[in-house]
Amino acid sequence: MPNGLRVAAAWSWRAIAVGAALYLLLMGAAYVAVVVVPVIVALLLAALLQPGAAFLVRHGWPRAGAATLMLLVGLGVVAGIVTLVVEQFAAGYDDLASQVGEGLDQIQTFVVDNFPVSQNQLNDIIANAITSAQDALVNNRDTLTAGALTTAATLGEVLTGFALALFTLFFLLMDGRDIWLWFVGLTPVNSAAYVDEAARRAWRTLISYVRATVAVAAFDAVFIGIGLTLLGTPLVVPLAALVFLGAFIPIIGSFLAGSVAVLVTLVAVGPVKALIALGIIVLIMQLEGHVLQPLLLGRAVSVHPLAVVLGIAAGLLIAGIFGALIAVPVIACANVAGTYLSRRHQGRRPPEPDTRRHRAAVANRR
């Protein structure tokens, strides 16, 4: 048998085994998504809040107190942002509705003046569209009712996941290192030091990624919000909040959030200012991609843009919006940890993690 065929066969069955293992892992994670998703969210939030908790512990705070304070700080920030967005949306809704009405009238006038369509024909088209929408609602009443029940069940899952994420986040902030050392204690003795060092590097990468993403998202939201305010766009605060959230999905999220802002500007204040808004958003995105991200991330999260786009696309197909959100940090952490493990013998052996206390605790419980 040719040697090339043997090598190809060896690679093939190993690739099939790894692919099957990954498939089973993803299927298992999807089956318990109500647990897996909150834990991943807690890990991302812990990467943002853990340095603050560690700072407090170094200055004499008990670990439980430091974890509680940082958890309250995180909840306070989120609650403040949500409250501000809701209040601004409620306050600006009437103004937006009137501006949208005027904008639609201007669009109708533009269509009638520049296209071979009369006002009566345009009115008939709009009336037919409204009638079709009403008929669709009546004909799909059962489907909508079932969807409402599904939404109620989903709301229950969201509340459960929120509580589980808070619970997990608290213990990650308080005992994250001890929890990890317990897992390290389950690995072979000769591999424990390398596994621990790979995880430490991946964790530092995740912290750098989350910090940089928050800073970039805040930069985008503030300056795009200022630009929309100068243009007279309504609902600036909700749009800025949307831009902030969209920045957590690199490239795609910022593009979609900016498109919504341009669309609102187009409908509310006209096409000229919408073009100006588009120019402002493109300029800020260029500053983000070529200045802020390289400056803040540096080599800590070295992932090629093609890998970012493909990873987001794969995450979107596998797990929807949540998959797109975590795709880049997963790729970055896997890249750092995998690179270290593949070259682990080229440098000094890392210090052995102290897992004796955790193994003893498990043995005493038996």
Side-chain angles (χ1 to χ4, degrees), residues 92 95-96 99 224-239 260-270 273-274 276-277 280:
D95 185 32
L96 175 64
Q99 288 180 313
I224 289 177
I226 292 173
L228 295 178
T229 301
L230 295 177
L231 293 174
T233 303
L235 299 179
V236 172
V237 173
L239 290 174
V260 173
V262 172
L263 181 60
V264 172
T265 304
L266 172 64
V267 176
V269 293
K273 291 187 177 180
I276 298 174
I280 293 172

Side-chain angles (χ1 to χ4, degrees), residues 245 248-249 252 256 312 315-327:
L245 295 176
F248 284 87
I249 303 177
I252 296 176
L256 294 177
I312 292 174
L316 194 62
L317 290 174
I318 294 172
I321 297 298
F322 181 75
L325 176 65
I326 67 171

